[in-house]
Amino acid sequence: EIASCLVGSEMCIRDRRLPQFGGHSEVEVDGTGVGRFDLTWFGHQGTEMGDDEWNDPHRRTLGRYTSTPEEAFLLFVHADHEGTDVVLPPEPFAQSWRAVVHSGFAGELPDADQVLPGGSTLHIPARTVVLLEALLPDPTATEADFIGVDED
């Protein structure tokens, strides 16, 4: 079955068995869940894929999100002959993103030093793979940190 998958025209990564690899448990920092998962899948809308998206035979774009307490990455694989737009997942998955490496041509995607806010749209060129690094919120920050108040 795997050999036929490799030579078939379908994106075999969509096999329903794959999401269970690596689990799907909430990431914790100091014993408290931070609202993001160690492994999940994203489509175009910046939200986790549901069954309809997962089983769409015309899907040509797939995002795999992996996370630990310290870091997170999102790998988009886009297999269509035309480019596409994707919404970058917002918090709790990331405050913002950086495209750290991609298979596109120079200038087709943002440079690694350009910060892309969560919820913003990213254009992925035709037949391109892009790895995004999540810039994560500080899980130990207090409300005072966000409004600039000194708690001392």
Side-chain angles (χ1 to χ4, degrees):
E1 181 176 358
I2 291 190
S4 66
C5 198
L6 292 174
V7 297
S9 62
E10 295 279 327
M11 287 179 59
C12 295
I13 197 164
R14 287 192 315 237
D15 186 317
R16 292 189 64 87
R17 292 173 291 164
L18 287 179
Q20 68 189 350
F21 292 169
H24 187 77
S25 31
E26 187 174 8
V27 173
E28 294 184 357
V29 174
D30 297 329
T32 302
V34 294
R36 63 181 193 272
F37 298 99
D38 62 346
L39 168 66
T40 194
W41 302 88
F42 285 91
H44 288 88
Q45 302 302 315
T47 57
E48 293 180 85
M49 289 176 57
D51 285 340
D52 289 343
E53 289 177 294
W54 193 254
N55 292 305
D56 177 1
H58 304 291
R59 175 162 299 283
R60 296 293 175 252
T61 307
L62 186 64
R64 183 179 189 269
Y65 178 87
T66 56
S67 177
T68 69
E70 297 83 26
E71 61 186 2
F73 294 91
L74 177 59
L75 177 70
F76 272 110
V77 177
H78 177 59
D80 197 48
H81 67 281
E82 293 182 3
T84 191
D85 291 333
V86 296
V87 176
L88 300 176
E91 288 190 43
F93 298 99
Q95 282 183 320
S96 52
W97 299 90
R98 291 183 321 120
V100 292
V101 67
H102 61 82
S103 64
F105 293 108
E108 284 189 317
L109 286 151
D111 293 329
D113 60 351
Q114 184 177 350
V115 175
L116 309 166
S120 65
T121 300
L122 174 67
H123 181 77
I124 302 176
R127 297 182 179 107
T128 299
V129 176
V130 58
L131 178 65
L132 299 151
E133 178 184 20
L135 303 176
L136 299 172
D138 180 356
T140 62
T142 66
E143 186 176 341
D145 293 327
F146 291 107
I147 58 175
V149 174
D150 187 2
E151 290 185 326
D152 293 333

